[in-house]
Amino acid sequence: MNASEKVTVGLRSLASVIARGFFEITHSSFALIGLTVIFAAIALTAQPALRQIGEVKLFSWLQTRQVELTGLPTEVEAIERATASNPRDLPKRQAAVAFWLSKKYSVAPEPISALVSEAYQIGQRTKIDPTLILAVMAIESGFNPFAQSHVGAQGLMQVMTTIHSEKYENFGGKFAAFDPLSNLRVGVKVLEDCIKRAGSIQGGLRYYVGAANLDNDGGYAAKVMAEYARLELIATGRVIQQVEPSTSPAPVLVKDIPAEMSAPLNS
């Protein structure tokens, strides 16, 4: 064997040693990684606290990445706070009412649909026509959940929050007056009490607006009853001419009632 052949054989032997060493190192590294993953899985399974910490860390990292990519904070639970539903998921009568109210009061159909659905559920429980509930809401606030009168009536049903603060305790406090569904539920309770007290719907509406002891209610009950009649027609499938909502607010007569005569139930 000459010198050239010896060099060739030596280079081959060196290459073989290097390749074998690389394989062993790589194989050992993969094995180490595999063992690490296995032990980590066992630890997380055996220790729920560790698993929870890991999930929190991972979710936090994903949120940070999402903010970096979009420039917006991630708040996946925000959808749970939205008062909205698909109007096409409603029964036919309710959907007709929702679309009509949406068009008349220039409110998106999705939040109106949620309110209509809730009104029908509450109406069934309280034996108050849901279209009457919606009519009161329409005249009181025009479906503005943040409405407030100059005497302090607030929200969709324009409930006097200061007078009925105890009714909001079940919903977390008086700020729930600006939560559409909470305000609706409290408002219907007030309306129910007013109707029982008066013995009739129109009489109950006079109590509701705080005009039970006055000569007239400024046309409030008539407005509500007119809207109630329209909604009843819509619910039965009748097509009626769209009427523009009144630009003037509902009458607020509470300030005219002497405190010693009667505590107002509502705005």
Side-chain angles (χ1 to χ4, degrees), residues 100-101 104-105 112 131-144 147-149 153 155-159 191 205 208-209 217-231 243-252 266-267:
W100 191 83
L101 289 173
K104 180 177 180 180
Y105 292 95
I112 283 289
T131 46
L132 174 62
I133 296 171
L134 293 166
V136 170
M137 202 183 310
I139 301 304
E140 286 286 353
S141 67
F143 297 99
N144 177 5
Q148 176 168 306
S149 74
L156 287 173
M157 298 285 283
Q158 289 291 278
V159 177
L191 178 62
L205 291 173
Y208 192 83
V209 79
D217 61 3
Y220 174 79
K223 289 181 181 180
V224 173
M225 294 303 291
E227 189 73 346
Y228 174 30
R230 282 191 287 268
L231 291 176
V243 180
E244 292 298 323
S246 173
T247 55
S248 59
V252 179
N266 194 33
S267 62

Side-chain angles (χ1 to χ4, degrees), residues 171-195:
F171 301 97
K174 63 181 182 180
F175 288 154
F178 299 106
D179 169 57
L181 295 183
S182 299
N183 188 281
L184 171 56
R185 291 162 185 165
V186 171
V188 172
K189 175 57 180 173
V190 175
L191 178 62
E192 181 183 22
D193 292 343
C194 289
I195 293 174

Side-chain angles (χ1 to χ4, degrees), residues 35-114:
L35 288 173
T36 301
V37 171
I38 292 172
F39 281 121
I42 293 173
L44 291 175
T45 302
Q47 298 291 333
L50 290 177
R51 184 171 68 251
Q52 185 176 7
I53 292 172
E55 290 173 352
V56 170
K57 291 290 185 182
L58 178 60
F59 186 70
S60 176
W61 179 81
L62 291 173
Q63 281 187 316
T64 302
R65 288 291 300 159
Q66 186 69 11
V67 172
E68 291 175 354
L69 292 173
T70 65
L72 295 171
T74 301
E75 194 176 358
V76 294
E77 67 274 12
I79 188 64
E80 298 176 3
R81 299 196 302 268
T83 303
S85 62
N86 190 339
R88 301 191 184 282
D89 292 337
L90 296 175
K92 186 176 180 180
R93 290 168 62 96
Q94 296 182 34
V97 170
F99 280 118
W100 191 83
L101 289 173
S102 171
K103 184 177 180 181
K104 180 177 180 180
Y105 292 95
S106 300
V107 181
E110 289 82 6
I112 283 289
S113 297

Side-chain angles (χ1 to χ4, degrees), residues 250-265:
V252 179
L253 305 174
V254 175
K255 61 183 179 63
D256 299 326
I257 301 176
E260 65 271 17
M261 290 179 62
S262 172
L265 287 172

